[in-house]
Amino acid sequence: MTREKNAMLDLFPEAEKPIEIIPARKLAAKAAALYVAPADHFQTRPVDELLLDFDGIAGDFHAGPTRRAGGREPWYPRGTEMRNERQLSIVAADELAVVAQRMGLAEIRPEWIGANLVIEGVPNLSMLPAGTLLFFKGGVTLKVDAQNGPCRIAGRSIAENAGMADVEAGALLFPKMAKRLRGVVAWVEKPGTVRASEEISVRVPEQWIYQA
Amino acid sequence: MTREKNAMLDLFPEAEKPIEIIPARKLAAKAAALYVAPADHFQTRPVDELLLDFDGIAGDFHAGPTRRAGGREPWYPRGTEMRNERQLSIVAADELAVVAQRMGLAEIRPEWIGANLVIEGVPNLSMLPAGTLLFFKGGVTLKVDAQNGPCRIAGRSIAENAGMADVEAGALLFPKMAKRLRGVVAWVEKPGTVRASEEISVRVPEQWIYQA
C-alpha cells in the first residue's frame, strides 16, 4: 500500500488523516466454466462459449439494455424500467463450496443459481470492487458493477436441485449463508466471444474509502 | 464505522484482519447548475434542464450507447467501440476553486471543461465511490462510474477561456493541478428531466478495500 497526499490536504491542511489510495493492480484468472440461461428462466446450462453484445449474452434471460426494478432496488416501484447493469452473474467455486458447507450440502452448482461464468484464480471474488475490469484474452471486456446479493429465488432453486427436505427453509437459508460469497454482477464493456478456459486479466481499480 | 465479521473468517479463521465494511450512507445535495454541450464540441453552455434518456443527455456531445476508446483506455486501440459509461460530467464548485487557485486563475467555469452538472453539498465530490447513486427529486437516477481524470483538452480550454499567456503550459498544468478534483463521470440509470436547483439524495454504497 502506498499513501498519496490527498488534494483535500490543501483545502484543509489541518486534516488529520489523508485519504489512503490503494493503487490499481492486476490479477491473472481463468474462465473455468460458462453457462447460459434460456430466455424464459434464470437457471443456466453449461456451454462452450458466450456470445456477448452490449446487452449481455445474446438470448440470455438477463440480456437487455434495460431491466425491471425488483427487491434489490427498494427505492423504485417494482417494475420500474432501469438500465441493466446486471447482465452477467459471475461466481467462484471456492466461495460456493463454503456456502454449500454452511447449508449442509455436498455442492451448489453454478447453474442452479443462474451463474454465467465461473472464474478461477481470484481470491475473495465477491469482494472485487465496482469498476473492476475483466479483460478476456479473446478481446471481450466485462466491468464489475457490484457484489451480487443472494436471494430466495436462487435459494429455492438450490433447495429443489439439491433435494433438500424443506425447500422453503432452504430458500431462506441461502441469503444468510451466501452473503458476500455469491459473486458479482457485471456488464459488457466490449463485446465478443468468451470461450471456456480462456485467460482473464483482472484489473482492480484504485481504491479508497470515501469519507464525507 | 462498524465492523462486520467477514465471511472469509470462516474460510480462514486464522486470518488476522477481517475486511472492514463501511455501511452505505445518504447525503443531501442539490443540482446547483446544469449544462449541455452541442453535438460537435465538448464545451457546454448553461441550461435550465437536462433531458435524459438511457444514452445520456439528449443531443449532447457525450451522449450515446457506446463511445470510442481514447487515452483513458491505454489497453484498447484508439477508436475501439466500447460501452459509454461516461455520459455526464459532474463537478463541484469548491473543488474547481482549488484547481483555479493552484493554476493562478480567478475561476474555472464548469462549461470550459465540459461539465454537465454542478453538485452542491457533497464534500470531496471527486472521491465518491463507483456505484454511488444520485436520486434526483424529479425521478432521474444517475450512477457514478468513476472519478474523472483531468486531461489536456480540458486544460487547453481553460487556458484559452481564462486568457492564459501560455496556452500549452496551461493545458499541461491542468492534469497535474486537478487530479482528484475534476469530479466524476456518471451514466443514466433511470431517465427523465433534471431541473436547476433540484434536490438530490446521494446514496454512497457499502465500501471496503479489496485485498487479494
Side-chain angles (χ1 to χ4, degrees), chain A residues 169-191:
Chain A
L172 289 166
L173 195 58
F174 179 64
K176 287 172 196 157
M177 299 296 111
K179 195 176 179 191
R180 307 198 192 287
L181 292 169
R182 200 243 184 277
V184 295
V185 288
W187 43 263
V188 177
E189 166 162 306
K190 186 163 163 280

Side-chain angles (χ1 to χ4, degrees), chain A:
Chain A
M1 291 188 191
T2 61
R3 282 175 182 275
E4 177 179 304
K5 207 178 95 177
N6 184 263
M8 288 303 109
L9 281 180
D10 293 309
L11 266 173
F12 307 108
E14 73 283 7
E16 283 170 30
K17 202 181 155 193
I19 296 180
E20 186 177 15
I21 310 282
I22 315 296
R25 57 178 297 181
K26 281 191 180 174
L27 303 171
K30 208 178 86 170
L34 311 175
Y35 306 86
V36 174
D40 60 345
H41 199 281
F42 83 97
Q43 284 190 51
T44 47
R45 55 182 172 75
V47 291
D48 291 328
E49 52 184 35
L50 299 179
L51 306 173
L52 301 166
D53 57 31
F54 285 112
D55 290 346
I57 302 169
D60 183 84
F61 185 66
H62 287 101
T66 64
R67 65 180 180 93
R68 298 290 169 178
R72 297 174 193 280
E73 298 80 30
W75 38 77
Y76 298 142
R78 191 169 283 270
T80 299
E81 188 181 19
M82 60 181 287
R83 181 154 168 178
N84 182 18
E85 80 290 27
R86 298 174 53 85
Q87 295 176 352
L88 283 94
S89 160
I90 306 175
V91 299
D94 60 343
E95 292 186 330
L96 293 189
V98 173
V99 181
Q101 189 187 15
R102 289 179 178 180
M103 292 179 71
L105 302 173
E107 64 171 345
I108 293 176
R109 288 203 198 147
E111 49 266 57
W112 297 350
I113 58 172
N116 300 113
L117 177 59
V118 177
I119 286 187
E120 211 173 82
V122 178
N124 306 346
L125 179 88
S126 297
M127 303 307 287
L128 279 178
T132 295
L133 292 171
L134 309 175
F135 297 107
F136 290 77
K137 201 170 184 182
V140 164
T141 310
L142 302 181
K143 190 160 175 175
V144 171
D145 181 75
Q147 188 175 81
N148 200 358
C151 70
R152 272 185 285 174
I153 296 171
R156 184 167 297 115
S157 172
I158 291 168
E160 287 171 353
N161 279 287
M164 290 175 81
D166 189 337
V167 168
E168 284 316 302
L172 289 166
L173 195 58
F174 179 64
K176 287 172 196 157
M177 299 296 111
K179 195 176 179 191
R180 307 198 192 287
L181 292 169
R182 200 243 184 277
V184 295
V185 288
W187 43 263
V188 177
E189 166 162 306
K190 186 163 163 280
T193 301
V194 169
R195 292 182 179 83
S197 301
E198 200 168 319
E199 287 170 41
I200 310 170
S201 174
V202 177
R203 184 184 183 275
V204 180
E206 278 188 338
Q207 297 181 81
W208 61 81
I209 300 293
Y210 171 78
Q211 286 151 338

Side-chain angles (χ1 to χ4, degrees), chain B residues 85-179:
Chain B
E85 79 291 27
R86 299 175 52 87
Q87 296 176 352
L88 283 94
S89 160
I90 306 175
V91 299
D94 60 344
E95 292 186 329
L96 292 190
V98 173
V99 181
Q101 189 188 14
R102 289 178 178 180
M103 292 178 71
L105 302 173
E107 64 171 347
I108 292 175
R109 289 202 199 149
E111 49 266 59
W112 296 349
I113 58 172
N116 301 113
L117 178 59
V118 176
I119 286 188
E120 210 173 83
V122 178
N124 305 346
L125 179 88
S126 297
M127 303 306 287
L128 278 179
T132 295
L133 292 171
L134 308 175
F135 296 108
F136 291 77
K137 201 171 184 182
V140 164
T141 310
L142 302 181
K143 190 160 177 175
V144 171
D145 180 75
Q147 188 175 81
N148 200 358
C151 70
R152 272 184 283 173
I153 296 172
R156 184 166 297 114
S157 171
I158 292 169
E160 287 172 353
N161 279 287
M164 290 175 81
D166 188 337
V167 168
E168 285 315 303
L172 289 166
L173 195 60
F174 179 65
K176 287 172 196 158
M177 299 296 112
K179 195 177 179 191

